[in-house]
Amino acid sequence: QKPGLELAVVSVPSYACQRHTPLLHHNITLTDALSILAENAELGENEGRGVAFRRAAALLKSLPQEVRGAEQLRGLPCLGEHSLRVIKEVLEDGVSHEVETTTHSEQFKAMKALTGIFGVGAKTADRWFKEGIHTPSDLQRSGHTLNRAQRAGLQYYDELNLPVTKSEAVAIGQIVERAVHAVLPGAEITLIGGFRRGKQTGHDVDFLITHPDEGREEGLMPKVVSWLEAQGFLLYQKTTGNSYLESKEGPARPASNMDRFERCFSIFRLSTDNEGREIQTGNGPRSWRAVRVDLVVSPYSQFPFALLGWTGSKLFERELRRWAVHEKAMTLSSHALYDRKRTLYLRASSEEEIFAHLGLEYIPPCDRNA
Ligand code: DCP
Ligand code: MG
């Protein structure tokens, strides 16, 4: 063994929620390759395969050094046979044949382009692909009947695929704050999702809204939306009510990973005058852009769970839930934490307390970039 080749790692824990995963890490080439394969699996609705590639990539993101040879991977968890094969190929040849084939495949390119339309999922995209629709323009010409979300997605396609910058997120935050305070003074607004983890860009901007007097937040969203609409800030919105209390399954046995908070999926019209950024359209440049914004309202007592559940990353969330079930016999959702052995709900007034309940070291948002 040449000195320096051995990674300075004694043992790496196997759940991503046990590790610190910073935004900037040392193995981008490898994680980019694995992410392409994960994405391809997800687009093909092969969730298990997607998760396996995501877990392997997350493991590499948490390593303190660059991996230079396959021998450095000995003893590390989360690296399945397929991921290892890809990693070795990239280490030896600089590229992986499978990754190259994937990125150049018509199907992958078309599925990415079509699911890049707001309101279009893998199932719909696949059906269209099989009809010979490969691009948003093909879809436009096809004369297919689209729902309201998809029509907006097509109309603002280019802009919505432009990364949202941190300063745009801050500007949106100021608008959201004005709207929320106009209809409910004292409400608290928190930037969540990727921006809370320290990302400098995102595909959307996510906000969590709550009020210290539990109950005051009920029915808040329609009022916020009316205010925003009246001020001309919304290009599209769809609000769904809170269905947590009516849901029969209860927080201990959520039917899916989707939470049941009052929520608004929207597209904001954001002025770009202060950004020095002009948006090019078919009708020439203009001084505003479309931005995807998600608003979520949580009752105060559920706020730490909502905050933890909405900060991500998606894999980090998945790993937290998996840890809770398999290692602690607990069920974690964005609403609550339930201890199945003691048959009781565990209260928490901060994210730190939830990690403590789960027997995990606290991982700050900036280290949840798994
Ligand atoms: N989330 C989740 N399950 C959902 C929706 C969201 O667990 N069905 C959580 C995990 C995400 C966070 O909410 O990290 C926000 O979702 P995004 O899709 O906006 O993801 P990010 O904000 O992490 O990334 P991006 O920069 O692409 O917006
Ligand atoms: Mg986001």
Side-chain angles (χ1 to χ4, degrees):
Q1 192 77 281
K2 282 179 239 147
L5 269 184
E6 195 74 62
L7 274 182
V9 180
V10 181
S11 80
V12 178
S14 67
Y15 287 84
C17 55
Q18 298 173 285
R19 307 189 295 250
H20 290 257
T21 313
L23 194 57
L24 300 174
H25 62 88
H26 312 277
N27 290 289
I28 304 274
T29 316
L30 296 175
T31 58
D32 279 355
L34 292 168
S35 300
I36 298 278
L37 299 183
E39 201 178 359
N40 191 45
E42 288 156 3
L43 290 171
E45 293 186 84
N46 192 336
E47 199 188 343
R49 200 177 152 98
V51 172
F53 287 129
R54 296 264 176 227
R55 279 206 195 114
L59 182 280
L60 296 173
K61 290 179 193 174
S62 76
L63 296 178
Q65 283 168 242
E66 184 184 352
V67 173
R68 291 172 193 274
E71 69 282 357
Q72 292 174 305
L73 301 170
R74 225 174 297 132
L76 292 179
C78 309
L79 302 175
E81 200 185 313
H82 196 156
S83 294
L84 269 177
R85 198 163 68 232
V86 174
I87 294 167
K88 282 178 187 161
E89 232 188 311
V90 175
L91 288 174
E92 283 161 23
D93 310 335
V95 286
S96 140
H97 179 71
E98 186 180 0
V99 172
E100 291 298 293
T101 311
T102 303
T103 49
H104 290 109
S105 102
E106 265 320 300
Q107 180 158 6
F108 181 72
K109 285 191 278 188
M111 289 294 288
K112 263 191 79 115
L114 296 174
T115 54
I117 304 169
F118 173 60
V120 178
K123 260 195 190 68
T124 307
D126 183 60
R127 201 175 63 235
W128 289 338
F129 174 74
K130 284 174 180 147
E131 294 171 21
I133 295 169
H134 290 197
T135 65
S137 322
D138 290 346
L139 178 63
Q140 189 90 273
R141 280 190 299 267
S142 73
H144 269 292
T145 308
L146 303 177
N147 64 32
R148 212 163 53 85
Q150 295 163 344
R151 288 201 300 275
L154 208 48
Q155 183 174 358
Y156 302 111
Y157 183 78
D158 292 332
E159 287 158 73
L160 294 183
N161 281 289
L162 220 54
V164 183
T165 65
K166 177 75 203 234
S167 61
E168 286 170 337
V170 170
I172 298 271
Q174 287 164 352
I175 298 169
V176 171
E177 197 161 307
R178 272 167 62 202
V180 172
H181 286 160
V183 299
L184 181 62
E188 295 168 6
I189 298 112
T190 310
L191 183 60
I192 47 173
F195 287 111
R196 183 162 184 254
R197 301 196 307 275
K199 282 180 68 179
Q200 288 304 306
T201 61
H203 97 281
D204 67 357
V205 196
D206 311 287
F207 294 97
L208 183 58
I209 304 163
T210 191
H211 192 287
D213 300 333
E214 184 125 353
R216 295 284 300 279
E217 81 292 344
E218 274 173 41
L220 176 62
M221 198 71 86
K223 293 181 208 158
V224 171
V225 166
S226 296
W227 189 94
L228 289 167
E229 266 178 339
Q231 304 276 325
F233 284 120
L234 291 183
L235 298 166
Y236 167 91
Q237 69 83 19
K238 185 180 163 65
T239 302
T240 54
N242 185 326
S243 57
Y244 182 61
L245 292 174
E246 303 92 85
S247 72
K248 290 213 181 64
E249 76 266 23
R253 272 163 253 94
S256 77
N257 292 332
M258 282 299 283
D259 61 59
R260 298 176 166 277
F261 291 117
E262 189 173 41
R263 185 170 170 180
C264 178
F265 302 89
S266 72
I267 301 176
F268 266 55
R269 179 193 189 280
L270 178 67
S271 163
T272 52
D273 287 339
N274 301 330
E275 300 282 327
R277 190 171 181 181
E278 268 188 347
I279 300 299
Q280 303 303 325
T281 71
N283 305 318
R286 60 166 151 73
S287 61
W288 58 268
R289 68 162 293 191
V291 181
R292 275 273 300 113
V293 177
D294 276 357
L295 305 175
V296 184
V297 176
S298 154
Y300 204 65
S301 61
Q302 296 171 22
F303 179 78
F305 298 98
L307 184 62
L308 179 58
W310 272 87
T311 297
S313 70
K314 282 195 184 91
L315 184 76
F316 192 90
E317 301 296 337
R318 180 186 273 273
E319 293 281 278
L320 272 176
R321 293 190 297 259
R322 193 166 71 91
W323 167 271
V325 171
H326 293 291
E327 306 298 328
K328 297 284 151 182
M330 292 180 186
T331 315
L332 175 68
S333 74
S334 293
H335 298 276
L337 178 62
Y338 182 73
D339 185 325
R340 300 200 292 198
K341 278 188 286 198
R342 291 189 282 168
T343 63
L344 51 84
Y345 288 97
L346 299 169
R347 301 209 149 262
S349 57
S350 66
E351 285 183 319
E352 281 85 345
E353 287 179 33
I354 306 174
F355 279 88
H357 282 317
L358 289 167
L360 288 169
E361 177 201 339
Y362 176 68
I363 308 287
C366 64
D367 282 337
R368 297 182 204 161
N369 288 290

